[in-house]
Amino acid sequence: MRVGITGHIGLPDEVGEQVRGLLAEQLKVYDVRDLTAVSCLAEGPDSWWARAVLDVGARLEVVEPATEYRDGFPAEHHPAYDALLARASEVHRTGMMFSTSEAHQAGSEILVDLSDELLAVWDGLPARGYGGTADVVAYAHGAGVPVTVLWPEGAARSLPDPRTRTHTHTHTRSHSHSHSS
């Protein structure tokens, strides 16, 4: 079972802790002997899911949206990104050089196409920029890939920081539920 992940970056610490708990609970649904996480390794939910899956002995495949993708993350995320990438059983690339919204969406489409199910750490709100979580969920629905939305009850994503990348994701929903197209 290949389970991809998409979700908002830049979550407040309290929401991040709740999301980690939801991901840990969701992990119990799968047979880890047959589980492969598919992730772009962005900070937040992407990396948390990848780490959780590896920690239980399952596999990780990474999608790299652009050659310069890692450079778009804060320096604090680089060690986690590098460590997870080093443990990937396979790396898929878009072939794009620059880490643009178009590259992020292309990477997410590859991720969805590789997945049997998509986990979306998503508050249900529209994307704040092309290639955001809502766009990935919409693509998954169109591709017929089941989506399980995970969002802590009553949580809110943070406001975008104008100094950060434009592909910051955010959303608000509680408990988990599944959608199939």
Side-chain angles (χ1 to χ4, degrees), residues 18-158:
Q18 293 172 320
V19 167
R20 282 185 195 89
L22 291 172
L23 291 169
E25 285 301 309
Q26 187 66 31
L27 186 54
K28 296 175 184 176
V29 170
Y30 308 107
D31 177 352
V32 298
R33 296 169 299 180
D34 185 43
L35 178 62
T36 300
V38 185
S39 175
C40 291
L41 302 182
E43 72 254 47
D46 286 21
S47 292
W48 301 334
W49 177 243
R51 168 73 59 210
V53 167
L54 288 170
D55 285 350
V56 297
R59 294 179 358 165
L60 170 65
E61 290 186 17
V62 171
V63 177
E64 184 182 71
T67 304
E68 297 183 356
Y69 181 64
R70 177 188 179 271
D71 297 338
F73 294 118
E76 312 83 69
H77 182 61
H78 292 180
Y81 181 92
D82 294 343
L84 292 168
L85 184 63
R87 293 185 63 192
S89 61
E90 198 167 341
V91 178
H92 308 273
R93 295 179 170 87
T94 65
M96 297 175 149
M97 170 79 69
F98 302 107
S99 191
T100 63
S101 295
E102 291 75 16
H104 300 163
Q105 182 65 25
S108 293
E109 289 177 8
I110 291 170
L111 180 143
V112 168
D113 292 341
L114 290 168
S115 300
D116 299 306
E117 177 183 352
L118 178 69
L119 300 181
V121 176
W122 180 44
D123 63 5
L125 297 176
R128 290 185 172 163
Y130 181 66
T133 304
D135 294 327
V136 180
V137 169
Y139 180 83
H141 284 297
V145 174
V147 175
T148 299
V149 174
L150 303 172
W151 191 253
E153 187 74 45
R157 62 185 172 176
S158 60

